[in-house]
Amino acid sequence: DIKAIVVACGTVSTNAFEEVKKDCPVPIIGIVEPTAKKAAGATKGKIGLIATSAAIRSGAYERMISEHAPQSQVKSAACPLFVPLAEEGWLHGTVPRQVAAAYLKELLHCDIDTLVLGCTHYPLLRDVIQAAAGPDITLVDSARATSLAVAETLNGLGLRREDPAPPRYIFLVTDAPDNFARVGERFLGRAISPVEWVDV
């Protein structure tokens, strides 16, 4: 019995969220609004945004940030290589450092004070992104902001889990189960199983 749905992808949240939400009988949480609110609360006025090319082209983050921080300026940069780096586990070392430095170079020339990680893959690369951005720039993690919004939604529905027993997880995928389990383990920090393939 599904109580809520999380669209845990920046590209889908920025390009198809309204379509996904249409006629859905349960609450749907995307990553754009909670992340924009978090960025608006953190910034001194100049926000950098990094995300996939499709998410940047949509302008969704900029529109939502302007609702919550209308005086702020937003500069964006597409960072498509961060997704395969995260999925392949290239989270440290020379290659991700060089990629991060190249992607952030122009944003840093804009004197940003806050940097939005507008893709849920990017927090895996948080260390190299923070190193490239410097210690004075606040990173806003879209995955964390979304998880807090999910918790708030479930609490509001009276669905806060009080049972001390470990929860039961079900992973249904439309892609390769082995690949999902391998990549998902990096995100969650633990083994993912069982993973079942479904034909839609």
Side-chain angles (χ1 to χ4, degrees):
D1 189 17
I2 296 173
K3 302 296 185 182
I5 296 173
V6 183
V7 181
C9 172
T11 301
V12 175
S13 285
T14 53
N15 287 274
F17 185 68
E18 294 305 317
E19 191 64 29
V20 172
K21 192 167 72 168
K22 195 187 324 181
D23 301 325
C24 186
V26 298
I28 297 207
I29 302 105
I31 76 168
V32 177
E33 185 167 10
T35 305
K37 285 181 179 177
K38 189 79 173 171
T43 190
K44 296 172 186 172
K46 293 188 176 181
I47 299 173
L49 164 67
I50 55 175
T52 63
S53 300
I56 296 294
R57 280 195 306 271
S58 76
Y61 274 109
E62 290 88 341
R63 289 191 296 274
M64 188 60 70
I65 289 171
S66 71
E67 285 187 24
H68 296 284
Q71 305 304 316
S72 66
Q73 300 174 23
V74 181
K75 301 291 182 180
S76 60
C79 303
L81 287 178
F82 279 163
V83 171
L85 285 173
E87 290 192 350
E88 290 302 318
W90 288 38
L91 310 180
H92 308 283
T94 303
V95 172
R97 282 199 304 268
Q98 289 178 339
V99 171
Y103 278 151
L104 297 184
K105 186 176 180 181
E106 287 189 25
L107 289 181
L108 296 177
H109 286 154
C110 298
D111 295 324
I112 60 171
D113 57 75
T114 303
L115 181 63
V116 174
L117 309 184
C119 170
T120 48
H121 282 73
Y122 293 4
L124 285 181
L125 292 154
R126 184 185 182 96
D127 290 347
V128 293
I129 293 171
Q130 186 74 75
D136 296 330
I137 293 180
T138 301
L139 297 193
V140 175
D141 179 337
S142 57
R144 179 162 176 72
T146 304
S147 68
L148 293 173
V150 171
E152 186 178 313
T153 299
L154 294 178
N155 284 338
L157 293 171
L159 295 174
R160 182 182 178 90
R161 190 171 189 276
E162 305 292 352
D163 189 343
R168 183 172 62 98
Y169 297 98
I170 302 172
F171 299 96
L172 305 175
V173 301
T174 57
D175 200 352
D178 291 346
N179 185 58
F180 178 88
R182 178 178 58 82
V183 175
E185 186 173 340
R186 292 199 189 100
F187 282 87
L188 299 182
R190 60 176 177 76
I192 290 179
S193 70
V195 180
E196 300 175 35
W197 180 81
V198 293
D199 184 358
V200 294

